[in-house]
Amino acid sequence: MSRRRRGTLVATVAASALVVGLAGCGGDDLKESRADVVHGKQLFVERCGACHTLARAGTRGTAGPDLDAAFAQSLSEGFGRDTVRGVVHEQILYPNSQMPAKIVTGQNAIDVAAYVGQAAANPGEDEGALAAAVRRAEQSSATAENGRLAIPADPGGQLAYTVSEATAPAGPLEIDSVNESTVPHDIALQEGADGPELAKGETVSGGGVSRISVDVRPGRYTFYCTLPGHREGGMEGTLTVR
Ligand code: HEC
């Protein structure tokens, strides 16, 4: 596995060095002075973090490689952060893989690449404007009203619902999970912490609502997102029925 990764990365490094070199003539280069890393971090958390773990960004996605691990080796082998930046930029625009292409483009891609280039495998925490760039997903509790319970997904695309603990009376219950972010999510409910799945709503994004209707008895339930890696990344909470 690490062998395959290393081969891929070095091949990409070579390709991207070429592209950066060529692009330099056209003026669309990746000079740090032109990149806004604060904006890059915001975009990374919103558009990339659901699939990638990056410690400084606080993201925990698992659908794609852990970017700290992915670049640790090449950095330790002496590749500079500029090279990492070039690789990330190249990967965003031309992924030779299952990763969707051009999730961000133009200046946005330059900003994201610059942020990942400086953050990947870089121990410690972001400070100053970078630390303030992304608010942590806020979580509170919620109570069902008139047989309805609202459990929105984090609007910023982080792997969290804005509700971590919910309560409802026994009986028919509709759970509505609006998702304002661009990262697809759904909501499902199971008994206890690992009981059978009782219901699962549609996968939605961009303001769609994932909805389930269940008849609940007193006890503890868990709600969670069924998309790969999202529950593991933190997208779950508990429902107590009284
Ligand atoms: C829907 C999930 C998904 C999203 C969103 C996504 N990626 Fe990826 N990414 C992947 C997968 C899967 C791979 C591994 C592809 C492969 O190697 O076959 C990958 C690979 C990568 C790699 C190469 C890592 C390595 O080991 O060489 C980088 C860099 C990367 N992504 C950066 C980004 C950035 C930056 C964004 C946001 C603009 C992003 N990704 C958004 C799924 C995603």
Side-chain angles (χ1 to χ4, degrees), residues 17-158:
L18 181 65
V19 169
V20 171
L22 292 174
C25 310
D28 185 22
D29 60 348
L30 296 173
K31 285 225 175 67
E32 184 127 45
S33 56
R34 296 176 56 218
D36 177 347
V37 287
V38 171
H39 185 230
K41 181 177 186 179
Q42 289 164 338
L43 285 172
F44 181 86
V45 170
E46 216 177 286
R47 313 300 296 273
C48 320
C51 288
H52 290 288
T53 293
L54 182 64
R56 279 182 173 255
T59 63
R60 289 173 295 174
T62 55
D66 175 325
L67 295 183
D68 294 310
F71 292 112
Q73 188 175 11
S74 43
L75 284 164
S76 75
E77 283 170 356
F79 288 101
R81 294 205 169 267
D82 279 358
T83 306
V84 174
R85 198 146 48 101
V87 170
V88 176
H89 189 250
E90 183 73 4
Q91 172 76 16
I92 293 171
L93 299 183
Y94 314 107
N96 55 354
S97 62
Q98 315 103 308
M99 181 171 130
K102 301 191 166 89
I103 295 171
V104 289
T105 56
Q107 186 64 43
N108 288 344
I110 290 172
D111 292 349
V112 171
Y115 175 69
V116 178
Q118 91 174 40
N122 187 0
E125 293 192 356
D126 283 346
E127 290 170 4
L130 273 177
V134 178
R135 57 161 195 83
R136 293 261 165 229
E138 279 173 35
Q139 294 195 305
S140 55
S141 52
T143 307
E145 278 178 37
N146 304 320
R148 285 196 175 177
L149 181 62
I151 303 182
D154 175 61
Q158 297 183 58

